[in-house]
Amino acid sequence: MGGRIDGSSPPFTNLWLLWLGAGLNATMTCYGFSVTYSMIVMLFCWVIWLLQTAGTQIVVCSFLFGVVDIFFREVEQFGASKIPLEGPIIFACAPHANQLFDPLVVTKCTDNFANRKISFIAAAHTMRRSGVGMLARGFGCIPVERAQDLAKKCVGFVRFSQEPNKIYGRNTTFTKDFLPGDIIKIEIGKGESHPVESIISDTELIIRSDTHVVRSSSSKEDQDQDNPMTSLSPFPSSSSISDTIQEFKYQWLPHIDHSQMYETVFDKLGAGGAIGIFPEGGSHDRTHLLPFKSGISIMALGAIAKYPGMKLKIIPVGLNYEYGHRFRSKVILDFGDPIDISPTFVSQYKQGGDAKNLACAALLEQVRTALKSVTIETPDFQTLRMIKLLTRIINPPEISHLDRVIMIREIAAGYLKTQNDSRVKNLMENLESYDKSLKSHGIRDHQVEQNLVTDDKEYAALLLISRLFLSFCYLLAVLPALIFSSPVLGTAKIVSIQKAKDACKKSSIKLAGRDVIATWKVLIGLVMVPCVHILYTCVAYYYGGERLALLYFFFAPFVCGVGIKCTENGIRVYKSIWVLFLVITGKRNASQLVERRQALKQQIIDVMTSCGWSSRGDHSHHHHHHHESGAELS
């Protein structure tokens, strides 16, 4: 873990706890106590020793890093050598596509490769939750209160006035609900939020008109610009001007003073620490970056203003998930070039007013540009799927996942510039048609190249028999783990899907709520896995006695680990069975798919060359990046 956290005990101070645990275990066993009870007492003493010796943060981080290794099959990084080993750093991470795992995988990589401990900015309402909050506090997160988390629906209805900056209400209680500086959020379209200037009566109030605006596409996140997680809308907007007679429901949001949170961040950076932040604010499952919030600019410029001469750097971190909501998927972190803070921005920030706003906006745009260079952006999921299919067609099967992600990013950037070109449109149509053909035959693209090119039906038949036998063997190996995990997997799937639906209802920026699915799968697992394990241990004790119970309790987790690996290999073998059936029984269809793929590959190369999608040509060059990175962490 790279050293002991300040405040933890020296490693030998509490050595008596280990001695006490071992002594109690031996003594209780000698006097006829159950081996199970004596082991529990010993383990309790050892856990207390671990917490006091290593420190809570190290223990929590080690536990959560273990969760990352279990959930993801591969965690790779590129560019970690760019992280300074000392000095203040702000890690700007995007896209925020996974509520729980985004900060975990970033911290895991920075801890392993640069020994940097990151304090992430986390929503205060999340840290107030019992289970997640305990983990967040142990992880060293810094809480930030968000106005939208404290929003309350108000009685009555409001309408826009023809008079500038005035809002009228019907059956409203403005004098009771609002104070100057609070925010009124009018439920029109995606929501419009305005700071309250003054309250005239229960049915009239004035809103500020001098707000510098960065419009956001979210519903819950569009709030006060002083809030590092939100932004403000101007008044009046085009949508509100278009209809001044309609009445709308509205909400109250408090004005929140974030000065204490900023001071905490400034002092952390002043001491040479590292801060992590997601400039988009809340998590989402879009395929492009959302508008950034101003918090990261205020943190960077404010810290340097408070500590002149600080050599602060901002490190852009791109999070690229294969399927972030799926168990045993892959993730790649791409660390970009460090951003140095311009002294001009700091001088403008110190001036306050419009100069401060301009400095924050300029730095925010610089951060956004840097993050675009390490992330993948496409208009929608279908386009992203087709670009991934495109890269699989033109690349050899042995290309690493890291190299593939880099190439996808290059092609996606080129596609955004030329998507209206007729050649590009035709290529995308052909890709979609080819994809539908693959689905209709129940196979995947890599199987077309690897399995459908053979003319030897006898060899294919022998291979089919061997893989049917191998699939049966894998099934037998998986059964014990499946029996143990089925209650957990079933419950986690049902609950996570429902939570994703609930998240979509509460936000207009989420498409399918994929950003919360993995979080709920893990939370359900953290609760249910120990409970199910203890339950099955009790069953083993009831039917087989203490020896079987101890055997199960300590060794069943290893059986489950083997089951996970066998499941991954078994699925790959099972998917190849249908392809072999196609080779044996449908040679004509197989040949047509192979020919179609070859023609499509040539079309892709022609379009890439003519449209200039990749300036590097031969993508085998990426392999030297992979070796440089030290890559795989899992």
Side-chain angles (χ1 to χ4, degrees):
M1 291 298 300
R4 183 166 46 87
I5 299 294
D6 291 341
S8 59
S9 303
F12 300 107
T13 298
N14 298 315
L15 197 60
W16 61 270
L17 282 168
L18 296 179
W19 183 263
L20 176 64
L24 288 173
N25 177 49
T27 303
M28 292 175 67
T29 303
C30 181
Y31 277 87
F33 283 88
S34 168
V35 175
T36 303
Y37 293 147
S38 61
M39 289 291 292
I40 291 175
V41 171
M42 183 181 70
L43 289 175
F44 177 78
C45 293
W46 286 10
V47 168
I48 298 299
W49 173 84
L50 180 63
L51 289 172
Q52 292 189 356
T53 302
T56 304
Q57 186 173 357
I58 285 183
V59 174
V60 171
C61 287
S62 299
F63 172 74
L64 293 176
F65 292 166
V67 172
V68 171
D69 288 334
I70 293 173
F71 193 89
F72 291 105
R73 186 166 76 252
E74 292 182 20
V75 179
E76 298 180 83
Q77 65 77 34
F78 169 60
S81 59
K82 301 174 184 177
I83 304 174
L85 299 180
E86 58 184 16
I89 301 176
I90 295 179
F91 289 93
C93 311
H96 196 1
N98 201 315
Q99 272 189 341
L100 175 66
F101 283 115
D102 285 348
L104 294 184
V105 295
V106 174
T107 304
K108 179 179 173 64
C109 287
T110 57
D111 184 84
N112 282 359
F113 287 91
N115 194 26
R116 299 303 302 257
K117 304 295 186 296
I118 306 176
S119 296
F120 271 91
I121 306 298
H125 84 102
T126 299
M127 299 187 69
R128 285 192 290 267
R129 295 176 180 173
S130 54
V132 179
M134 180 185 68
L135 293 176
R137 289 188 294 273
F139 202 62
C141 293
I142 298 174
V144 56
E145 197 67 75
R146 303 190 303 176
Q148 64 267 30
D149 296 328
L150 304 175
K152 294 181 180 179
K153 290 185 176 293
C154 300
V155 297
F157 299 86
V158 296
R159 62 184 175 87
F160 297 101
S161 169
Q162 296 289 353
E163 303 177 50
N165 311 331
K166 181 177 286 189
I167 290 180
Y168 288 111
R170 178 170 65 85
N171 299 329
T172 54
T173 54
F174 288 159
T175 56
K176 178 182 176 181
D177 296 335
F178 290 93
L179 293 173
D182 287 345
I183 298 170
I184 180 171
K185 181 178 180 181
I186 302 172
E187 298 180 6
I188 175 175
K190 296 180 179 179
E192 294 187 359
S193 301
H194 312 284
V196 176
E197 179 73 28
S198 60
I199 299 93
I200 300 176
S201 66
D202 278 340
T203 58
E204 294 182 67
L205 60 77
I206 305 296
I207 61 175
R208 287 212 315 259
S209 60
D210 58 347
T211 307
H212 181 73
V213 179
V214 180
R215 288 304 301 267
S216 173
S217 61
S218 67
S219 62
K220 290 190 68 180
E221 286 80 356
D222 294 346
Q223 315 297 341
D224 184 0
Q225 187 182 359
D226 293 333
N227 185 335
M229 311 299 292
T230 58
S231 303
L232 272 179
S233 297
F235 183 86
S237 70
S238 57
S239 59
S240 62
I241 290 177
S242 64
D243 192 347
T244 59
I245 300 177
Q246 290 187 13
E247 293 182 331
F248 306 97
K249 294 181 179 180
Y250 67 104
Q251 299 178 26
W252 165 86
L253 292 85
H255 170 71
I256 298 177
D257 182 9
H258 291 99
S259 58
Q260 185 59 49
M261 182 275 297
Y262 281 128
E263 288 299 323
T264 301
V265 171
F266 297 160
D267 293 340
K268 178 79 174 179
L269 294 172
I275 296 292
I277 186 172
F278 298 93
E280 295 171 293
S283 63
H284 65 93
D285 57 351
R286 300 253 174 182
T287 57
H288 57 81
L289 298 178
L290 298 183
F292 284 6
K293 314 304 179 184
S294 60
I296 186 172
S297 296
I298 297 174
M299 292 175 185
L301 297 176
I304 299 177
K306 183 175 181 178
Y307 296 96
M310 176 190 293
K311 302 298 183 182
L312 174 64
K313 295 184 182 297
I314 299 176
I315 305 291
V317 184
L319 293 151
N320 302 286
Y321 291 94
E322 183 183 38
Y323 298 101
H325 60 291
R326 293 183 183 176
F327 184 60
R328 303 301 290 171
S329 56
K330 301 177 183 179
V331 56
I332 284 183
L333 273 71
D334 197 344
F335 293 89
D337 295 325
I339 300 174
D340 294 313
I341 313 299
S342 170
T344 303
F345 293 164
V346 179
S347 299
Q348 291 176 326
Y349 179 87
K350 291 179 179 179
Q351 295 175 23
D354 291 339
K356 175 181 176 180
N357 290 336
L358 289 173
C360 288
L363 181 57
L364 199 64
E365 183 59 30
Q366 193 174 353
V367 172
R368 185 177 183 86
T369 301
L371 276 169
K372 281 189 173 184
S373 68
V374 293
T375 55
I376 298 171
E377 285 196 281
T378 59
D380 49 56
F381 275 108
Q382 179 63 11
T383 303
L384 180 59
R385 285 187 65 252
M386 292 303 100
I387 291 177
K388 287 182 176 180
L389 175 59
L390 183 155
T391 59
R392 283 195 297 269
I393 291 174
I394 63 175
N395 276 312
E398 63 271 12
I399 187 174
S400 72
H401 183 56
L402 174 61
D403 296 340
R404 193 183 304 278
V405 167
I406 294 173
M407 187 174 183
I408 290 173
R409 183 167 64 235
E410 291 178 349
I411 293 176
Y415 171 81
L416 290 175
K417 297 176 182 178
T418 60
Q419 57 184 312
N420 294 323
D421 190 297
S422 59
R423 295 165 297 181
V424 175
K425 290 181 178 180
N426 180 255
L427 173 61
M428 299 303 285
E429 291 173 358
N430 291 340
L431 283 169
E432 291 179 4
S433 177
Y434 174 67
D435 185 52
K436 290 178 181 178
S437 297
L438 294 177
K439 289 181 179 179
S440 66
H441 287 90
I443 63 176
R444 298 192 176 187
D445 173 71
H446 70 274
Q447 295 171 325
V448 175
E449 182 181 26
Q450 296 178 30
N451 301 107
L452 296 187
V453 294
T454 179
D455 292 322
D456 192 343
K457 289 189 176 183
E458 293 182 359
Y459 172 76
L462 291 174
L463 192 60
L464 174 62
I465 294 173
S466 67
R467 290 191 177 180
L468 284 171
F469 176 75
L470 190 58
S471 297
F472 178 73
C473 294
Y474 276 130
L475 180 61
L476 293 179
V478 167
L479 277 178
L482 185 63
I483 293 172
F484 170 81
S485 60
S486 55
V488 180
L489 295 176
T491 304
K493 183 174 183 179
I494 293 172
V495 172
S496 62
I497 290 175
Q498 184 57 48
K499 291 296 183 180
K501 292 179 180 178
D502 294 341
C504 289
K505 292 178 181 178
K506 296 177 182 178
S507 173
S508 64
I509 65 172
K510 299 183 189 295
L511 298 175
R514 294 181 181 89
D515 55 310
V516 304
I517 289 179
T519 298
W520 281 102
K521 284 181 179 179
V522 171
L523 293 179
I524 295 298
L526 291 178
V527 174
M528 287 196 64
V529 167
C531 294
V532 172
H533 189 54
I534 292 173
L535 174 63
Y536 284 177
T537 301
C538 293
V539 172
Y541 180 82
Y542 180 81
Y543 287 102
E546 188 173 355
R547 291 183 177 179
L548 180 60
L550 286 173
L551 192 66
Y552 175 84
F553 184 83
F554 285 105
F555 293 99
F558 295 100
V559 174
C560 289
V562 172
I564 291 174
K565 291 295 185 181
C566 289
T567 300
E568 294 173 359
N569 295 331
I571 289 175
R572 284 195 288 268
V573 172
Y574 173 77
K575 288 180 178 179
S576 68
I577 290 175
W578 173 246
V579 182
L580 294 172
F581 270 117
L582 186 61
V583 171
I584 297 172
T585 62
K587 180 61 180 177
R588 180 179 179 182
N589 290 335
S591 299
Q592 288 177 349
L593 278 176
V594 172
E595 292 173 0
R596 189 173 182 181
R597 187 184 191 275
Q598 291 173 346
L600 193 56
K601 181 176 181 179
Q602 185 58 51
Q603 184 184 7
I604 292 170
I605 295 174
D606 293 341
V607 170
M608 289 181 63
T609 303
S610 59
C611 294
W613 280 2
S614 175
S615 61
R616 303 183 184 182
D618 180 13
H619 291 275
S620 62
H621 74 283
H622 291 309
H623 289 286
H624 81 274
H625 293 308
H626 178 66
H627 296 310
E628 175 191 352
S629 66
E632 202 165 327
L633 301 179
S634 56

